[in-house]
Amino acid sequence: RRIYLDYASTTPLDPRVEEAMRPFLRERFGNPSSIHAEGVAAKKALDAAHTSAALSLEAHAEEVVFTSGGTEANNLAILGTFFRFNLKSFRLNLKKLHVVTTNIEHSSMLEPLRELERLGRAEVTYVPVESNGIVKPEKIIAAIKPSTVLVSVMYANNEIGTIQPIRKIGQLLSDVKSQKSKVKGRNEKAYPLFHSDACQAPLYLRCLVNALGVDLLTLDGHKMYGPKGVGCLYVRRGTRITPQLFGGGQERGLRSTTENVPGIVGFAEALRIAVAERESESVRLKKLRDHLYFLIRANKQIDGMLITNGDMSERLPNNLNISLPGVNTEMLTLQLDAAGIACSTKSSCLKDERESYVVRALTGDKSRAASTLRFTLGRYTTKKEIEYAANTIARLL
């Protein structure tokens, strides 16, 4: 039996989720836009999934926009906000719209922003995180300009697991918006919008949109034991963004295409289970993660060599990210794979990169960024597997 310790990359489909999806793969296969019986049945399932996902977020059903995954949701948040205000910027005599984010965001956030910069259409401030991998809220607020239309900060990092102070940022940003509204002298919603990529969060953190103070929130099904190819973007009532897909007007006109009903049903069920089991599973995985950390640190082969990446307190309970300077961790990962253990060196979305830009951002240490090793535990991880993995690492080193 193989030991899977790369749950941040993707998760296996939960049998309960598969069971919920099965009827819509064959028997109830209708198009939700059709008015015959098959279409009506599919539409009811789609509406129920909107309601279920909204309940998990303490949101309204119409605020949930289903997408093909976290990448599309992030792109919709960025480009949808940008193009919504692009024309308005000319009236305001702004040469470029401005976005504030951090320097350790997921590539599906950074790449569209860089493309807008390359085209000369946007200005982006990448606020650096501290050496513990956490950004200071005050620095985010200080970076805001009159031309800022979007602030985006990842809730929990996919590589080092650090949890950002989203609620605090939301509170400070709310004060900024209130001041802008008073200056404008009218009740219209002030900007910038606040977005958070929360793909890694729902299994372990409360993703209640009002408590967080976000206008936009990204989730991804396959990060929480749901199907691949489905995610969602929460869009707060009154928040206007421009769609990036046109053709059918589905999802309140924000995401045209025939809905992936089986995937959406699976997404909603996976999110429901994540919320229900969050507390107990977080406690269990933190104990296993700390046990793995203790066993690795006890290895005399790496005594004094090991560096922990990211704060160990404000961190996802399933995440352990270390650096072993001087060790070829890519080769070590392949050796672990041959021994039946799956882990990673960095984000699976960075397959062509030789180092972790997230770890590099912590201190600028290139050797540390090039020798990372990431273990992410999950729903099926056992203590026996953890101990075998630690012993195997010691043997290979």
Side-chain angles (χ1 to χ4, degrees):
R1 177 181 175 180
R2 287 184 59 80
I3 297 172
Y4 186 73
L5 299 177
D6 196 22
Y7 284 86
S9 173
T10 193
T11 57
L13 188 67
D14 189 292
R16 294 168 290 182
V17 175
E18 182 180 9
E19 186 65 24
M21 294 172 60
R22 186 173 292 117
F24 302 95
L25 294 169
R26 293 182 63 85
E27 294 90 358
R28 287 183 267 175
F29 58 86
N31 188 322
S33 297
S34 300
I35 61 174
H36 48 59
E38 288 83 357
V40 171
K43 182 65 164 60
K44 286 182 178 179
L46 183 64
D47 291 344
H50 275 98
T51 300
S52 176
L55 286 172
S56 297
L57 302 174
E58 292 192 357
H60 300 282
E62 66 269 23
E63 294 176 315
V64 176
V65 177
F66 288 112
T67 68
S68 66
T71 293
E72 185 191 339
N74 280 342
N75 274 258
L76 178 57
I78 295 171
L79 301 177
T81 299
F82 178 81
F83 288 111
R84 167 69 181 84
F85 289 96
N86 197 37
L87 292 177
K88 186 177 180 181
S89 67
F90 291 106
R91 297 201 304 270
L92 297 176
N93 197 29
L94 300 173
K95 293 182 179 179
K96 293 181 181 179
L97 297 177
H98 179 240
V99 178
V100 177
T101 188
T102 77
N103 61 345
I104 64 168
E105 298 296 306
H106 190 269
S107 56
S108 62
M109 285 295 303
L110 296 177
E111 291 305 315
L113 289 174
R114 287 168 181 159
E115 181 64 12
L116 290 174
E117 286 183 293
R118 187 186 69 80
L119 295 172
R121 307 290 294 277
E123 177 188 3
V124 184
T125 298
Y126 301 94
V127 179
V129 297
E130 304 303 305
S131 60
N132 64 352
I134 299 175
V135 71
K136 289 187 176 180
E138 296 77 14
K139 290 187 176 181
I140 294 291
I141 302 303
I144 294 175
K145 301 180 179 182
S147 57
T148 305
V149 295
L150 180 68
V151 171
S152 183
V153 179
M154 178 186 277
Y155 196 177
N157 189 267
N158 56 308
E159 287 197 47
I160 59 176
T162 48
I163 301 168
Q164 303 298 341
I166 299 300
R167 187 169 185 173
K168 179 65 174 178
I169 295 171
Q171 290 171 344
L172 294 175
L173 198 53
S174 179
D175 294 337
V176 172
K177 293 180 181 182
S178 296
Q179 292 300 318
K180 284 188 174 184
S181 295
K182 291 178 181 178
V183 172
K184 289 181 177 181
R186 52 183 183 269
N187 295 322
E188 75 174 39
K189 186 177 182 64
Y191 289 84
L193 298 180
F194 185 28
H195 167 256
S196 183
D197 175 353
C199 292
Q200 296 288 335
L203 288 169
Y204 313 110
L205 303 173
R206 290 161 63 89
C207 294
L208 307 181
V209 291
N210 291 319
L212 295 174
V214 294
D215 301 298
L216 304 161
L217 187 85
T218 295
L219 296 176
D220 199 342
H222 79 103
K223 302 294 187 180
M224 54 184 182
Y225 305 94
K228 293 178 176 62
V230 61
C232 86
L233 179 68
Y234 159 79
V235 183
R236 183 177 293 278
R237 279 180 175 178
T239 299
R240 300 179 65 183
I241 60 176
T242 299
Q244 300 304 297
L245 292 178
F246 299 87
Q250 289 89 348
E251 295 299 295
R252 294 194 295 116
L254 289 176
R255 207 267 178 174
S256 294
T257 191
T258 301
E259 298 92 342
N260 173 10
V261 176
I264 289 171
V265 169
F267 175 96
E269 179 65 3
L271 182 57
R272 184 195 67 79
I273 294 170
V275 172
E277 299 181 355
R278 178 183 296 140
E279 291 187 14
S280 60
E281 186 66 355
S282 293
V283 171
R284 187 184 77 87
L285 288 180
K286 184 178 184 301
K287 290 180 179 178
L288 287 178
R289 189 273 313 278
D290 291 347
H291 186 48
L292 175 63
Y293 188 40
F294 171 80
L295 292 175
I296 292 177
R297 291 179 66 185
N299 181 0
K300 294 181 180 180
Q301 295 285 343
I302 59 175
D303 184 35
M305 179 195 307
L306 184 147
I307 301 172
T308 306
N309 297 315
D311 191 277
M312 283 301 292
S313 176
E314 295 299 316
R315 185 189 202 95
L316 293 177
N318 74 321
N319 177 288
L320 179 62
N321 188 302
I322 62 174
S323 288
L324 301 172
V327 174
N328 186 337
T329 50
E330 186 169 296
M331 178 60 69
L332 178 59
T333 300
L334 293 174
Q335 291 176 318
L336 287 168
D337 181 48
I341 301 167
C343 64
S344 63
T345 58
K346 55 187 180 298
S347 170
S348 55
C349 298
L350 301 173
K351 60 185 180 68
D352 295 326
E353 300 293 330
R354 300 185 67 86
E355 64 178 45
S356 166
Y357 70 84
V358 173
V359 175
R360 181 75 176 270
L362 302 184
T363 62
D365 188 335
K366 187 172 182 179
S367 63
R368 176 176 174 178
S371 61
T372 55
L373 201 58
R374 183 186 70 175
F375 301 96
T376 44
L377 289 54
R379 193 169 284 171
Y380 308 108
T381 306
T382 66
K383 183 178 180 181
K384 186 176 181 180
E385 290 178 336
I386 289 298
E387 292 173 344
Y388 176 77
N391 290 333
T392 304
I393 292 170
R395 175 174 59 82
L396 291 174
L397 287 175

